[in-house]
Protein backbone atom coordinates (compact mmCIF):
# COMPACT_ATOMS: atom_id res chain seq x y z
CA UNK A 1 0.00 0.00 0.00
CA UNK A 2 2.98 2.33 0.47
CA UNK A 3 5.05 2.51 -2.72
CA UNK A 4 8.76 3.23 -2.65
CA UNK A 5 9.57 6.90 -2.47
CA UNK A 6 6.40 7.87 -0.58
CA UNK A 7 6.95 9.30 2.89
CA UNK A 8 4.24 8.99 5.52
CA UNK A 9 4.33 11.34 8.49
CA UNK A 10 2.14 11.69 11.56
CA UNK A 11 0.78 15.24 11.84
CA UNK A 12 -1.15 16.90 14.65
CA UNK A 13 -4.64 18.33 14.09
CA UNK A 14 -6.95 20.68 15.92
CA UNK A 15 -10.65 20.00 16.48
CA UNK A 16 -13.72 20.84 14.44
CA UNK A 17 -16.16 22.81 16.57
CA UNK A 18 -19.87 23.48 16.30
CA UNK A 19 -21.25 27.02 16.27
CA UNK A 20 -21.58 26.75 20.05
CA UNK A 21 -17.80 26.51 20.21
CA UNK A 22 -17.86 22.95 21.49
CA UNK A 23 -16.14 19.99 19.81
CA UNK A 24 -18.25 17.52 17.86
CA UNK A 25 -18.65 14.38 19.96
CA UNK A 26 -17.68 11.53 17.68
CA UNK A 27 -18.18 8.74 20.21
CA UNK A 28 -21.69 9.82 21.18
CA UNK A 29 -22.81 10.16 17.57
CA UNK A 30 -22.98 13.95 17.62
CA UNK A 31 -21.26 14.40 14.29
CA UNK A 32 -22.68 14.44 10.78
CA UNK A 33 -21.79 11.47 8.58
CA UNK A 34 -19.92 12.28 5.37
CA UNK A 35 -22.75 11.12 3.09
CA UNK A 36 -25.24 13.34 4.93
CA UNK A 37 -22.74 16.20 4.92
CA UNK A 38 -22.34 16.05 1.13
CA UNK A 39 -26.10 15.76 0.59
CA UNK A 40 -26.67 18.82 2.75
CA UNK A 41 -23.91 20.69 0.94
CA UNK A 42 -25.52 19.98 -2.44
CA UNK A 43 -28.93 21.05 -1.13
CA UNK A 44 -27.55 24.34 0.15
CA UNK A 45 -25.49 24.90 -2.98
CA UNK A 46 -28.63 24.40 -5.08
CA UNK A 47 -30.50 27.01 -3.02
CA UNK A 48 -27.58 29.41 -3.33
CA UNK A 49 -27.33 29.05 -7.09
CA UNK A 50 -31.09 29.41 -7.53
CA UNK A 51 -30.82 32.85 -5.96
CA UNK A 52 -28.37 33.91 -8.68
CA UNK A 53 -29.43 34.65 -12.24
CA UNK A 54 -28.22 31.97 -14.63
CA UNK A 55 -28.88 30.67 -18.13
CA UNK A 56 -27.40 27.24 -17.45
CA UNK A 57 -29.23 24.12 -18.57
CA UNK A 58 -30.53 21.69 -15.95
CA UNK A 59 -27.63 19.34 -16.66
CA UNK A 60 -25.12 22.16 -16.31
CA UNK A 61 -26.73 23.32 -13.07
CA UNK A 62 -26.51 19.80 -11.67
CA UNK A 63 -22.79 19.66 -12.39
CA UNK A 64 -22.17 23.12 -10.94
CA UNK A 65 -24.10 22.29 -7.77
CA UNK A 66 -22.09 19.11 -7.26
CA UNK A 67 -18.68 20.70 -7.86
CA UNK A 68 -19.46 23.76 -5.73
CA UNK A 69 -20.76 21.60 -2.87
CA UNK A 70 -17.88 19.11 -2.85
CA UNK A 71 -15.33 21.85 -3.35
CA UNK A 72 -16.78 23.87 -0.49
CA UNK A 73 -16.59 20.95 1.94
CA UNK A 74 -13.01 20.10 1.00
CA UNK A 75 -11.80 23.68 1.05
CA UNK A 76 -13.47 24.47 4.38
CA UNK A 77 -11.20 21.89 6.00
CA UNK A 78 -8.02 22.35 3.96
CA UNK A 79 -8.02 26.15 4.24
CA UNK A 80 -7.71 26.04 8.04
CA UNK A 81 -4.40 25.69 9.86
CA UNK A 82 -4.49 21.99 10.75
CA UNK A 83 -3.03 22.57 14.23
CA UNK A 84 -5.80 24.92 15.38
CA UNK A 85 -9.48 24.42 16.15
CA UNK A 86 -12.09 25.84 13.79
CA UNK A 87 -15.85 26.33 13.70
CA UNK A 88 -17.91 24.38 11.17
CA UNK A 89 -20.18 26.98 9.53
CA UNK A 90 -22.40 26.26 6.51
CA UNK A 91 -22.93 29.92 5.61
CA UNK A 92 -19.22 30.71 5.46
CA UNK A 93 -18.40 27.47 3.69
CA UNK A 94 -20.71 28.12 0.74
CA UNK A 95 -20.28 31.88 0.46
CA UNK A 96 -19.22 33.42 -2.85
CA UNK A 97 -17.29 36.00 -0.82
CA UNK A 98 -14.20 35.46 1.29
CA UNK A 99 -11.75 32.59 1.51
CA UNK A 100 -13.98 29.82 0.16
CA UNK A 101 -13.96 27.36 -2.73
CA UNK A 102 -17.01 28.97 -4.42
CA UNK A 103 -15.18 32.32 -4.45
CA UNK A 104 -12.13 30.76 -6.14
CA UNK A 105 -14.26 28.77 -8.56
CA UNK A 106 -16.16 31.94 -9.45
CA UNK A 107 -12.90 33.81 -10.09
CA UNK A 108 -11.95 31.10 -12.58
CA UNK A 109 -15.33 31.20 -14.36
CA UNK A 110 -15.08 34.99 -14.59
CA UNK A 111 -11.80 34.64 -16.46
CA UNK A 112 -13.30 32.07 -18.81
CA UNK A 113 -16.14 34.53 -19.46
CA UNK A 114 -13.58 37.20 -20.38
CA UNK A 115 -12.19 34.88 -23.07
CA UNK A 116 -15.65 34.02 -24.37
CA UNK A 117 -16.26 37.76 -24.81
CA UNK A 118 -12.84 38.54 -26.27
CA UNK A 119 -14.24 38.59 -29.84
CA UNK A 120 -11.36 36.63 -31.32
CA UNK A 121 -8.60 38.53 -29.51
CA UNK A 122 -5.75 36.34 -28.26
CA UNK A 123 -3.16 36.58 -25.47
CA UNK A 124 0.07 38.29 -26.46
CA UNK A 125 3.24 39.88 -25.13
CA UNK A 126 2.90 41.00 -21.51
CA UNK A 127 3.34 44.73 -21.00
CA UNK A 128 3.17 45.76 -17.34
CA UNK A 129 2.13 49.39 -17.15
CA UNK A 130 -0.33 49.68 -14.28
CA UNK A 131 0.77 49.01 -10.70
CA UNK A 132 -1.89 46.34 -10.20
CA UNK A 133 -0.60 44.53 -13.29
CA UNK A 134 2.89 44.45 -11.80
CA UNK A 135 1.56 43.19 -8.46
CA UNK A 136 -0.46 40.46 -10.15
CA UNK A 137 2.52 39.32 -12.24
CA UNK A 138 4.72 39.20 -9.12
CA UNK A 139 2.08 37.19 -7.27
CA UNK A 140 1.97 34.65 -10.09
CA UNK A 141 5.70 34.01 -9.73
CA UNK A 142 5.16 32.91 -6.11
CA UNK A 143 2.92 29.95 -6.92
CA UNK A 144 5.67 27.32 -6.85
CA UNK A 145 6.89 28.67 -3.49
CA UNK A 146 3.39 28.26 -2.04
CA UNK A 147 3.13 24.68 -3.34
CA UNK A 148 6.55 23.67 -2.00
CA UNK A 149 5.90 25.30 1.37
CA UNK A 150 2.50 23.62 1.70
CA UNK A 151 4.05 20.22 0.90
CA UNK A 152 7.13 20.60 3.09
CA UNK A 153 5.11 21.71 6.11
CA UNK A 154 2.08 19.49 5.43
CA UNK A 155 -0.14 22.58 5.57
CA UNK A 156 -2.46 22.90 2.58
CA UNK A 157 -3.85 26.11 4.06
CA UNK A 158 -0.70 27.85 2.79
CA UNK A 159 -1.73 27.03 -0.79
CA UNK A 160 -5.34 28.01 -0.03
CA UNK A 161 -4.24 31.41 1.28
CA UNK A 162 -2.11 31.98 -1.81
CA UNK A 163 -4.98 31.14 -4.20
CA UNK A 164 -7.35 33.37 -2.24
CA UNK A 165 -4.91 36.29 -2.34
CA UNK A 166 -4.31 35.73 -6.06
CA UNK A 167 -8.06 35.73 -6.73
CA UNK A 168 -8.55 38.92 -4.77
CA UNK A 169 -5.69 40.56 -6.63
CA UNK A 170 -7.18 39.44 -9.95
CA UNK A 171 -10.56 40.97 -9.02
CA UNK A 172 -8.81 44.29 -8.33
CA UNK A 173 -6.93 44.00 -11.62
CA UNK A 174 -10.17 43.29 -13.49
CA UNK A 175 -11.85 46.38 -12.01
CA UNK A 176 -8.95 48.71 -12.74
CA UNK A 177 -7.72 47.31 -16.05
CA UNK A 178 -10.45 46.76 -18.66
CA UNK A 179 -9.84 43.90 -21.07
CA UNK A 180 -12.71 43.81 -23.55
CA UNK A 181 -14.03 47.36 -23.30
CA UNK A 182 -14.10 49.58 -26.37
CA UNK A 183 -11.07 51.79 -26.66
CA UNK A 184 -8.56 49.35 -25.17
CA UNK A 185 -5.57 49.15 -27.56
CA UNK A 186 -4.98 45.73 -29.12
CA UNK A 187 -1.53 45.28 -27.54
CA UNK A 188 -2.90 46.19 -24.10
CA UNK A 189 -5.80 43.77 -24.50
CA UNK A 190 -3.42 41.00 -25.60
CA UNK A 191 -1.21 41.64 -22.58
CA UNK A 192 -4.10 41.61 -20.15
CA UNK A 193 -5.49 38.46 -21.71
CA UNK A 194 -2.11 36.83 -21.05
CA UNK A 195 -2.32 37.81 -17.39
CA UNK A 196 -5.88 36.45 -17.25
CA UNK A 197 -4.74 33.20 -18.87
CA UNK A 198 -1.90 32.83 -16.36
CA UNK A 199 -4.19 33.41 -13.38
CA UNK A 200 -6.72 30.90 -14.72
CA UNK A 201 -3.95 28.31 -15.16
CA UNK A 202 -2.67 28.78 -11.63
CA UNK A 203 -6.17 28.64 -10.13
CA UNK A 204 -7.00 25.47 -12.04
CA UNK A 205 -3.75 23.74 -11.09
CA UNK A 206 -3.77 24.97 -7.50
CA UNK A 207 -7.35 23.86 -6.89
CA UNK A 208 -6.67 20.50 -8.55
CA UNK A 209 -3.84 19.94 -6.04
CA UNK A 210 -6.49 20.40 -3.35
CA UNK A 211 -8.83 17.95 -5.09
CA UNK A 212 -11.22 20.68 -6.25
CA UNK A 213 -12.49 21.10 -9.80
CA UNK A 214 -13.03 24.36 -11.66
CA UNK A 215 -15.99 25.20 -13.89
CA UNK A 216 -16.27 26.96 -17.22
CA UNK A 217 -19.57 28.57 -16.20
CA UNK A 218 -21.48 29.06 -12.96
Amino acid sequence: YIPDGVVFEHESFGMMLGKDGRPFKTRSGGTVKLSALLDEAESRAAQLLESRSSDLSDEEKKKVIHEVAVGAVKYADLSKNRTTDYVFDWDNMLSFDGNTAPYLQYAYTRIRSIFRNAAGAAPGKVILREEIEKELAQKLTLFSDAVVSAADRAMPNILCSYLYELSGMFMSFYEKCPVNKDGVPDEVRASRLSLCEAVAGVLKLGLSLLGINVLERM
Side-chain angles (χ1 to χ4, degrees), residues 86-172:
Y86 74 90
V87 175
F88 181 88
D89 188 323
W90 279 115
D91 294 331
N92 289 335
M93 182 187 301
L94 287 165
S95 174
F96 277 91
D97 297 308
N99 191 12
T100 65
Y103 176 76
L104 300 183
Q105 289 171 317
Y106 177 68
Y108 180 84
T109 60
R110 172 168 279 192
I111 297 174
R112 300 314 306 160
S113 176
I114 290 173
F115 277 92
R116 286 194 296 273
N117 296 324
K125 180 181 178 181
V126 175
I127 305 170
L128 304 176
R129 294 175 177 172
E130 302 296 331
E131 189 61 32
I132 188 61
E133 293 176 313
K134 297 174 184 176
E135 293 174 1
L136 185 59
Q138 290 173 344
K139 191 67 175 180
L140 285 165
T141 66
L142 299 177
F143 175 55
S144 60
D145 291 343
V147 173
V148 171
S149 182
D152 286 347
R153 299 168 62 183
M155 287 189 167
N157 64 295
I158 294 173
L159 177 56
C160 294
S161 294
Y162 169 83
L163 295 175
Y164 173 57
E165 292 167 5
L166 177 67
S167 296
M169 196 171 289
F170 168 77
M171 295 300 187
S172 296

Side-chain angles (χ1 to χ4, degrees), residues 9 42 50 64 75 113 132 135 137 158 162-163 192 194 201:
E9 300 176 356
E42 289 207 10
E50 283 298 324
V64 169
Y75 193 86
S113 176
I132 188 61
E135 293 174 1
I158 294 173
Y162 169 83
L163 295 175
R192 291 174 180 173
S194 289

Side-chain angles (χ1 to χ4, degrees), residues 2-209:
I2 305 177
D4 293 338
V6 174
V7 177
F8 278 70
E9 300 176 356
H10 179 271
E11 305 290 355
S12 59
F13 283 84
M15 291 185 291
M16 184 187 296
L17 311 177
K19 279 194 172 182
D20 58 1
R22 298 179 179 180
F24 283 129
K25 299 178 180 179
T26 54
R27 293 185 179 180
S28 61
T31 52
V32 180
K33 295 187 182 301
L34 179 59
S35 58
L37 176 69
L38 295 177
D39 288 343
E40 179 67 14
E42 289 207 10
S43 175
R44 289 175 179 258
Q47 294 175 20
L48 184 65
L49 291 171
E50 283 298 324
S51 67
R52 301 167 64 89
S53 58
S54 172
D55 59 353
L56 299 176
S57 67
D58 290 342
E59 191 63 29
E60 288 174 321
K61 285 182 180 179
K62 184 178 180 180
K63 179 180 180 181
V64 169
I65 288 169
H66 175 75
E67 296 297 353
V68 167
V70 172
V73 172
K74 289 181 178 180
Y75 193 86
D77 196 49
L78 296 174
S79 61
K80 307 299 187 300
N81 187 317
R82 62 172 170 75
T83 64
T84 59
D85 300 343
Y86 74 90
V87 175
F88 181 88
D89 188 323
W90 279 115
D91 294 331
N92 289 335
M93 182 187 301
L94 287 165
S95 174
F96 277 91
D97 297 308
N99 191 12
T100 65
Y103 176 76
L104 300 183
Q105 289 171 317
Y106 177 68
Y108 180 84
T109 60
R110 172 168 279 192
I111 297 174
R112 300 314 306 160
S113 176
I114 290 173
F115 277 92
R116 286 194 296 273
N117 296 324
K125 180 181 178 181
V126 175
I127 305 170
L128 304 176
R129 294 175 177 172
E130 302 296 331
E131 189 61 32
I132 188 61
E133 293 176 313
K134 297 174 184 176
E135 293 174 1
L136 185 59
Q138 290 173 344
K139 191 67 175 180
L140 285 165
T141 66
L142 299 177
F143 175 55
S144 60
D145 291 343
V147 173
V148 171
S149 182
D152 286 347
R153 299 168 62 183
M155 287 189 167
N157 64 295
I158 294 173
L159 177 56
C160 294
S161 294
Y162 169 83
L163 295 175
Y164 173 57
E165 292 167 5
L166 177 67
S167 296
M169 196 171 289
F170 168 77
M171 295 300 187
S172 296
F173 157 78
Y174 183 66
E175 291 176 2
K176 298 176 182 178
C177 299
V179 178
N180 291 323
K181 285 187 177 180
D182 293 338
V184 177
D186 290 343
E187 68 275 12
V188 174
R189 175 179 295 184
S191 172
R192 291 174 180 173
L193 282 173
S194 289
L195 287 174
C196 290
E197 184 177 57
V199 173
V202 167
L203 285 176
K204 183 175 183 178
L205 178 56
L207 286 172
S208 73
L209 293 174

